[in-house]
Amino acid sequence: MGRIIAISNQKGGVGKTTTSVNLASSLSYLGKKTLLVDLDHQANATTYVGINRANLRYTIADLFVNDVLAEDIIQSVEGLDVDILPARFELSNIENKLLQRENKEFLLSNALEKVRDRYDFILIDCPPSLGIMTLSGLLASDAVLIPVQCEFLALDGLTQLLNTIRLVQNKQKHNNKTLTIEGVLLTMLDTRSNIGYEVIEEVKKYFKEKVFKTIIPRNVKCSVAPSYGMPVTEFSPKSKSSISYQNLAKEMVMTVE
């Protein structure tokens, strides 16, 4: 049964989508069948892996409002042993449409339960907010991975996310499933600056053993890769970012096994 991990932080620009895509790719290199779920209304993960959103018959929005099955929406990513539940911009209008639906927060959870046996890992790229979509992603998950950038005010706002995690844990109790913190991932480390290393120490004091050993550095190749519609692990396999994401995947697999 696949492990479902939400990748979430309500702050934007922390490397959330970059982590989702490159971790999915890196897990596939380890022989792990992986599904990437694009839950962000910007649909960046979908574009990142080279999918033309205009050609999609269904997207994750159809799962929420038209009750289309996840298996009918899932697409294979060309060149990778990764599948994706893609998104388009219409996802931004979904929350208003869901207001009157009962158990709306569990629609994604119920849908993923029907396909999770096909995968080793399901990674959910959550939006940079704490609305219905993020709540849905957390409720569907076994654990949450929190990317934190190695910059000033890195911990700012994380209290809100931790409070939301506690709320989700309470909601999940009747399903005999409790959301845990998979780990905190330090991203965007500028090795030329002392601030980044100060943030690392601050985050480790706060989250202790929950911080991944792997740290993702700032890297030009990682910034350029999305414009080519591929993960940096494919675009530049020997780059520092690529190697770091592959190390993260190994760290995660070792923890699970």
Side-chain angles (χ1 to χ4, degrees), residues 92-248:
S92 61
N93 301 318
I94 293 301
E95 296 203 7
N96 289 334
K97 295 180 180 179
L98 288 176
L99 289 177
Q100 304 304 318
R101 290 203 65 167
E102 292 185 10
N103 297 319
K104 52 186 172 291
E105 299 96 339
F106 289 96
L107 291 171
L108 180 63
S109 179
N110 294 336
L112 293 182
E113 284 297 324
K114 295 175 182 177
V115 299
R116 72 183 295 174
D117 285 345
R118 304 179 188 181
Y119 299 97
D120 298 300
F121 288 92
I122 297 176
L123 305 180
I124 303 176
D125 183 22
C126 295
S129 67
L130 294 178
I132 293 174
M133 288 297 106
T134 294
L135 186 59
S136 297
L138 293 174
L139 281 166
S141 299
D142 302 304
V144 56
L145 186 158
I146 306 171
V148 176
Q149 77 275 40
C150 297
E151 295 179 0
F152 186 60
L153 297 179
L155 295 176
D156 188 39
L158 277 183
T159 301
Q160 271 186 293
L161 176 60
L162 296 176
N163 286 339
T164 301
I165 289 172
R166 292 187 191 100
L167 172 67
V168 168
Q169 288 170 337
N170 290 331
K171 279 180 172 285
Q172 284 181 326
K173 282 181 180 177
H174 68 278
N175 288 336
N176 297 317
K177 182 170 74 170
T178 301
L179 183 71
T180 61
I181 296 178
E182 183 79 7
V184 176
L185 176 66
L186 291 156
T187 65
M188 302 182 181
L189 174 63
D190 185 346
T191 56
R192 302 165 299 178
S193 169
N194 289 331
I195 293 177
Y197 293 102
E198 291 171 5
V199 170
I200 290 172
E201 292 307 311
E202 185 180 4
V203 172
K204 285 183 176 179
K205 284 180 184 178
Y206 192 86
F207 288 101
K208 299 181 172 59
E209 72 281 354
K210 286 294 184 181
V211 181
F212 284 107
K213 294 177 182 177
T214 302
I215 298 175
I216 310 299
R218 279 196 179 276
N219 184 260
V220 173
K221 298 291 187 183
C222 202
S223 302
V224 172
S227 64
Y228 288 85
M230 62 177 72
V232 71
T233 51
E234 286 285 298
F235 177 71
S236 182
K238 295 182 179 180
S239 66
K240 290 181 179 179
S241 293
S242 176
I243 292 169
S244 295
Y245 278 117
Q246 291 175 59
N247 287 338
L248 174 64

Side-chain angles (χ1 to χ4, degrees), residues 46 51-59 73 75 86-88:
T46 302
I51 289 180
N52 186 338
R53 296 181 305 224
N55 294 336
L56 293 171
R57 180 182 180 188
Y58 297 122
T59 70
I73 305 172
Q75 302 276 313
R88 260 197 311 249

Side-chain angles (χ1 to χ4, degrees), residues 50-93:
I51 289 180
N52 186 338
R53 296 181 305 224
N55 294 336
L56 293 171
R57 180 182 180 188
Y58 297 122
T59 70
I60 197 168
D62 293 292
L63 183 153
F64 285 101
V65 296
N66 297 319
D67 296 319
V68 177
L69 297 175
E71 63 189 52
D72 293 329
I73 305 172
I74 291 170
Q75 302 276 313
S76 297
V77 177
E78 187 175 351
L80 291 176
D81 189 21
V82 173
D83 289 345
I84 186 169
L85 198 54
R88 260 197 311 249
F89 292 126
E90 74 261 31
L91 192 59
S92 61
N93 301 318

